[in-house]
Every structure is written in C-alpha cells, then in structure tokens.
Amino acid sequence: MQTLLVGLDAACFPVLRPLFEDGALPHLESLFDDGATGRLESQIPPWTASAWPSLYTGTNPGKHGVFDFLRFDGYDWDIVNATDVRQRTLWEYADAAGLTSVVVNAPVTSPPPDVDGAVVPGYLAAEDPDCHPDGILDDVREAVGDYRVYARRETDETAGDDRFEDYLELARMRGAAFRYLADRFGPEFGFVQFQKTDAVFHDYPGDHGKVRRIYRAVDEQIGAILDECDPDTVVVASDHGMGEYDGYEFRVNEFLREAGVVETTTGGQGVPSWFQIKDERLTGGAEQGASGHPVLERLAATAATVGLTYQRGKAVLERLGLAEFVGRHVPVGAVFAASDAVDFSASRAYLRSPSELGVRLNVEGRDPDGVVARDEYDRVREEVISLLSSATTPTGTPVFEEVVPREKYIDGPYAQEAVDVLAVPTDFQHGLSALVGEQFGEPEPWNHKRHGVIALAGEGVDSGADLSGAHLFDVASTVLATLDVAPATVMDGDPLAAVDAPDERSYPDYEAATQAATEDADVAERLSDLGYLE
C-alpha cells in the first residue's frame, strides 16, 4: 500500500490533545509526532455530507454538487447519495492511473463506481448498501462477522450503555473490513473513515468518558491496519472540528418572517421535519388533516413553536413509552394544522435546511413558484444580507460573523443549486434552525467547528513542513501527490508543502452518473436522531 488515508469525522486538536497527553491514542499520537501536522480549515458549510465529498474530490460544493444532507428539487427534498457527487473521487483518479483502491465507510459513496478494487459505502447509504464489486459485502460479513453501516437503533434492548457498546463494535467492523479487503485486493490506495468520532458528541454531549472510549477503539483499529498493511505514507484528515456551543439557536425563518420576507402557512408545506418522517414511518404516509385529538394538536403546536424537535424529545418520549403513540396520534397534519410552517412558494427567501448555513431566494423562472423577479434578485439579496447582518442575540452580540453572497465560498457549474446567501455564525457558537415561533432557543450543546486536523507521515513526507493555512480542498491533491498521480486543474486546493507533487493536469470531462433518488426513510430518521432534520 502506497498511501493510507484515515478519515476521522470531526477530529480536531481540542479533542485530540488531551487524549495524546494521557497516552490514550498511541498510534495516532505517533503519526502526529513523527509527521507534518496542522489545523485543517473546513469549507462553508462545514457539515459531513458536503465536506467529505469536498475532501475526496478536491473541489468546492459548487463544482461537485453536494451542499447538504438534502438535495432539493424545487421545494421538494431527498437525501443525497453518490449520484449527486459530480466530480471524480480519489479512487476514480487512482483507477484512471492504473491503481487499485479499497474504500471503506466513506460518506456519500452509495451507489459506488466501477473501479479496480473495492468500495463499501458509509454514512447516508442504506444499511445493506450496494457495494463494489457485487457480492463483496457478503464476503466481508463472512470473513469478519457482522458488518453494518449504522449502530442499532435505540430500543429497550439497545439503550444507554448497551447502545454505546455498539458504537465501539462499529469501529472494530471498519478496521476488520478494511484489513480483509486490503489483503484480498492488494491496493496501492486505501481509505477508511470512522464516523462515530463525530456522532458520539451529538448522541452523548459532554460525556468525555465515551469520547475517550470511541477514540481508543479507533486508535486500536488504526494500529492494526498499520501493522498489517504497512503503508508507505499515511494521511490523517477530518472534515471539520467539534466543540461546545454556548450561544443560542437562532430561528432564521422566524426572524425573516418578522421582517416580512418569509410567509407562513398551515397547509403543511414546510421545511423537512421529524414529524413528517415519523408520520410516514408509523402510519404509512403523511396525514393531511387534523388528528381528531385537539389536546394533542395543541401540544404538538406548542412543541413546534418552542423548538421541541425529535432529537431533543425522543429520549423522554421513549423512556415514558410514548414515542410510538405520539407518532401514531399526532401526525404531521395535526402539527401544521395547529402551527405555522414556512410557505416556500409564497416567501421571498427562507432557510431550507440549517446545515446549508444560508438562505435561498425564491426566484421567478428558477424556482417553481418564484416571487422574486430576476431584475430584483440583487436588490432582494442585499436586503436579506443586510437583515441577517443586523441580527443580534438577546445579549446584544452579533449572531453572525459574516453574511455574504454564496460566491464568496461556492462557485462552479452547480452553484445555482445552493443557497444564495451564506450566514456564518459568530465563532460557531450559535446553531441555526428552520423553525418558526420564538426567535431564540437552546442550541445543540456540541456541534461542528470550522477547523479539523491534518497529519502526513511516512515515506516522502517532510515532517518539518509548515502546514499552516491547510484547507480541506488541499487533501485530495496531496493524497494524489503521494501516489505520484497529477492533481487535476479543476481542483480548488493545492498539494501541501510536506510532499512533492507532479504538475497538475487537465483530465477528460467527468461523466457523472444520472442522479437517482435515495428514498430511504431509515436514513432520514437517523439524520433526525443526530439533529440534522428538525
């Protein structure tokens, strides 16, 4: 193996350094001590579903086409998948150069491409995803025992510590599957990604003992991979950082409603929500009317206005044995019949999804029922930028450190699919919400930060190189350099100073797969578990 890329979702120095200092992560610590290291600036928005494709294509979202966990078609939405990634991945560049790859658990890689080697998709794939080559998942399971993309859902049998033990088992599965496939295919390039280094903060906020155990489990697997695969060069990278949020949840659509930009409706057309998902899962389809339980309708409406989302309330409901009852008896129709939701078609602009980190204008001729005339686009966008720039917290501090046109961070052939205005929370201390109701609420206690980590160690690496200024977009071209493969001119990053790189070159136009629907309610419900759907 020439190059091993280890992906640690949400890893950052504030998390790693205390674990290094007490000797909890000997294998990772050795890579960081012996190699060139630095902070890795993430993109805007710094969220998993968009950031990992940026890392492994070397391009910004406007070029690869994934901006969020969701893809929007007009006002409708679906979960993104690999057909939404419309640039070459690292393993496709390697394949074109005659190299073999093994890729395990990389997010947004289902369905996988036909390359020399093996691809077992990760986050946002179905539990039994299509893998490459056909049948390889059965072989993995036969060789290493059970292999799953996700932890078991929380039930009476898998609650608390029992469910957390499954997180540790997932780390073992990743390492064992990667080692089996590496032995079988003998790849020049390997990529293994560990997701629970992020999820542990969402699911067990503030539980440093569980964070330590997850990272120790991952470190053990990295050590076993290093021993068995003996890669010439190792690259460790994360998609973003992680930290405490001590600010507010800012409900952008409520703020814009009060300014006359957002219109609301009780007709059921609104932002993706847990209520919709739970309704469809338990009743076989969203109800479009009152539930017949007026008391429950009032409770549902109150919950929506104060921001009682599924990830905040499910633990209480399940502890009381009420989750399924609420799902069956308070359908989405009841919630929206009793409370307002954003009316996409009537609004001039709105927040579609919090993790898009911005606002979409409803433009005539571009959006199905656009109300903003094209010759008014610049004026309305400047109005929205001015409004959001003026937003302050209850203590009088700015909500956003910058509110800018999307072009500052996003450009390329798919940029029109993105939000029109990007709004970056001050020091990432505040979370965004698409709910309407009270303007401020409590944020998720731990969430994404702007800076992750990068480390390069091994053959051909200048361990003393200065990696200050390293960016997420630099990872792909750096990895290609370690494989002696030329970076592509389309890439937005450059090879880091720690490695020598061939001159960049133009590649033939990429023939992207036809976009296909995900239509996997289980994946959507898992997103709601982590707080990515409200």
Side-chain angles (χ1 to χ4, degrees):
M1 188 178 294
Q2 288 178 234
T3 302
L4 169 67
L5 173 60
V6 177
L8 301 179
D9 205 288
C12 55
F13 282 119
V15 172
L16 289 174
R17 280 182 178 134
L19 298 173
F20 288 167
E21 288 169 2
D22 63 12
L25 311 178
H27 305 293
L28 276 170
E29 184 180 6
S30 177
L31 292 171
F32 277 72
D33 283 349
D34 296 342
T37 65
R39 291 202 311 173
L40 187 68
E41 182 180 350
S42 190
Q43 65 173 35
I44 297 294
W47 260 262
T48 295
S50 181
W52 282 108
S54 295
L55 182 149
Y56 58 65
T57 67
T59 62
N60 83 86
K63 290 181 180 177
H64 64 65
V66 176
F67 306 93
D68 186 39
F69 299 93
L70 306 178
R71 167 218 301 157
F72 287 87
D73 180 8
Y75 311 124
D76 297 324
W77 60 275
D78 194 10
I79 307 295
V80 296
N81 60 51
T83 67
D84 297 296
V85 181
R86 288 162 279 177
Q87 286 289 341
R88 283 181 183 82
T89 61
L90 280 169
W91 41 103
E92 289 172 301
Y93 283 108
D95 184 69
L99 305 179
T100 301
S101 300
V102 164
V103 179
V104 172
N105 204 50
V108 202
T109 56
S110 176
D114 181 5
V115 295
D116 189 23
V119 180
V120 177
Y123 195 54
L124 300 187
E127 184 60 271
D128 291 300
D130 292 336
C131 298
H132 174 74
D134 290 342
I136 197 66
L137 184 58
D138 291 335
D139 293 348
V140 167
R141 286 171 171 163
E142 183 176 347
V144 308
D146 187 22
Y147 185 90
R148 288 175 281 110
V149 176
Y150 303 103
R152 294 187 177 92
R153 300 303 307 279
E154 187 165 352
T155 66
D156 290 341
E157 291 76 29
T158 60
D161 288 342
D162 288 340
R163 184 168 186 249
F164 178 75
E165 291 297 323
D166 203 36
Y167 285 21
L168 304 178
E169 177 65 6
L170 286 177
R172 184 203 66 79
M173 291 175 185
R174 305 294 177 247
F178 184 85
R179 294 192 300 275
Y180 164 73
L181 292 170
D183 181 64
R184 176 166 166 176
F185 288 90
E188 286 87 4
F189 171 60
F191 178 19
V192 58
Q193 193 264 12
F194 295 92
Q195 188 69 31
K196 289 304 178 186
T197 50
D198 175 297
V200 67
F201 290 97
H202 294 290
D203 292 340
Y204 302 98
D207 192 331
H208 299 294
K210 285 185 170 60
V211 171
R212 178 187 175 90
R213 291 182 67 194
I214 283 289
Y215 269 90
R216 281 181 64 101
V218 169
D219 189 73
E220 289 173 4
Q221 294 305 315
I222 292 171
I225 291 170
L226 294 176
D227 285 344
E228 292 190 25
C229 300
D230 192 25
D232 296 335
T233 306
V234 181
V235 180
V236 179
S238 60
D239 55 337
H240 54 73
M242 179 62 69
E244 290 187 79
Y245 276 38
D246 59 9
Y248 298 88
E249 177 186 83
F250 181 61
R251 294 173 189 155
V252 175
N253 287 329
E254 176 61 28
F255 178 80
L256 294 178
R257 177 169 73 163
E258 293 175 10
V261 174
V262 161
E263 300 294 334
T264 58
T265 180
T266 57
Q269 171 67 61
V271 296
S273 75
W274 168 71
F275 299 106
Q276 293 168 303
I277 296 164
K278 189 60 94 176
D279 228 23
E280 292 166 4
R281 293 279 288 169
L282 294 176
T283 68
E287 300 282 340
Q288 293 301 322
S291 67
H293 297 272
V295 173
L296 290 176
E297 289 178 24
R298 288 197 297 274
L299 287 173
T302 301
T305 59
V306 300
L308 182 59
T309 57
Y310 180 50
Q311 68 275 14
R312 295 171 183 153
K314 75 182 180 73
V316 175
L317 291 172
E318 290 179 344
R319 194 175 303 122
L320 298 175
L322 295 176
E324 186 166 326
F325 175 81
V326 170
R328 290 189 183 281
H329 295 286
V330 191
V332 67
V335 175
F336 288 115
S339 62
D340 286 336
V342 175
D343 187 343
F344 287 157
S345 62
S347 299
R348 290 191 292 156
Y350 48 82
L351 178 75
R352 298 186 295 194
S353 168
S355 45
E356 280 194 297
L357 218 62
V359 168
R360 174 84 170 180
L361 269 61
N362 189 25
V363 180
E364 190 177 63
R366 184 188 73 177
D367 301 287
D369 297 307
V371 298
V372 176
R374 286 188 176 273
D375 60 2
E376 287 287 291
Y377 175 86
D378 290 337
R379 184 190 65 78
V380 174
R381 185 161 73 160
E382 283 303 317
E383 176 188 346
V384 171
I385 289 172
S386 179
L387 282 169
L388 292 174
S389 298
S390 71
T392 56
T393 69
T395 60
T397 60
V399 173
F400 299 107
E401 64 185 46
E402 63 175 346
V403 183
V404 295
R406 67 157 174 252
E407 297 91 288
K408 179 169 181 181
Y409 291 105
I410 295 173
D411 69 89
Y414 309 112
Q416 285 276 324
E417 299 172 17
V419 295
D420 296 284
V421 174
L422 286 162
V424 182
T426 300
D427 197 30
F428 279 91
Q429 295 294 342
H430 308 300
L432 304 187
S433 171
L435 295 171
V436 292
E438 296 294 325
Q439 195 174 111
F440 290 95
E442 292 293 323
E444 294 302 307
W446 286 74
N447 217 321
H448 298 188
K449 297 289 188 177
R450 184 72 180 274
H451 289 92
V453 292
I454 181 76
L456 295 89
E459 189 175 299
V461 173
D462 177 2
S463 61
D466 181 6
L467 299 191
S468 60
H471 194 280
L472 187 75
F473 302 154
D474 299 331
V475 176
S477 56
T478 301
V479 169
L480 290 182
T482 67
L483 296 168
D484 199 30
V485 175
T489 53
V490 73
M491 290 179 171
D492 291 304
D494 298 306
L496 294 172
V499 297
D500 293 325
D503 292 338
E504 67 179 18
R505 53 160 287 206
S506 295
Y507 287 79
D509 291 341
Y510 182 62
E511 295 183 14
T514 302
Q515 285 180 284
T518 300
E519 297 179 348
D520 192 310
D522 190 59
V523 174
E525 197 165 353
R526 289 178 187 279
L527 286 178
S528 74
D529 286 352
L530 291 174
Y532 295 134
L533 295 181
E534 298 185 291

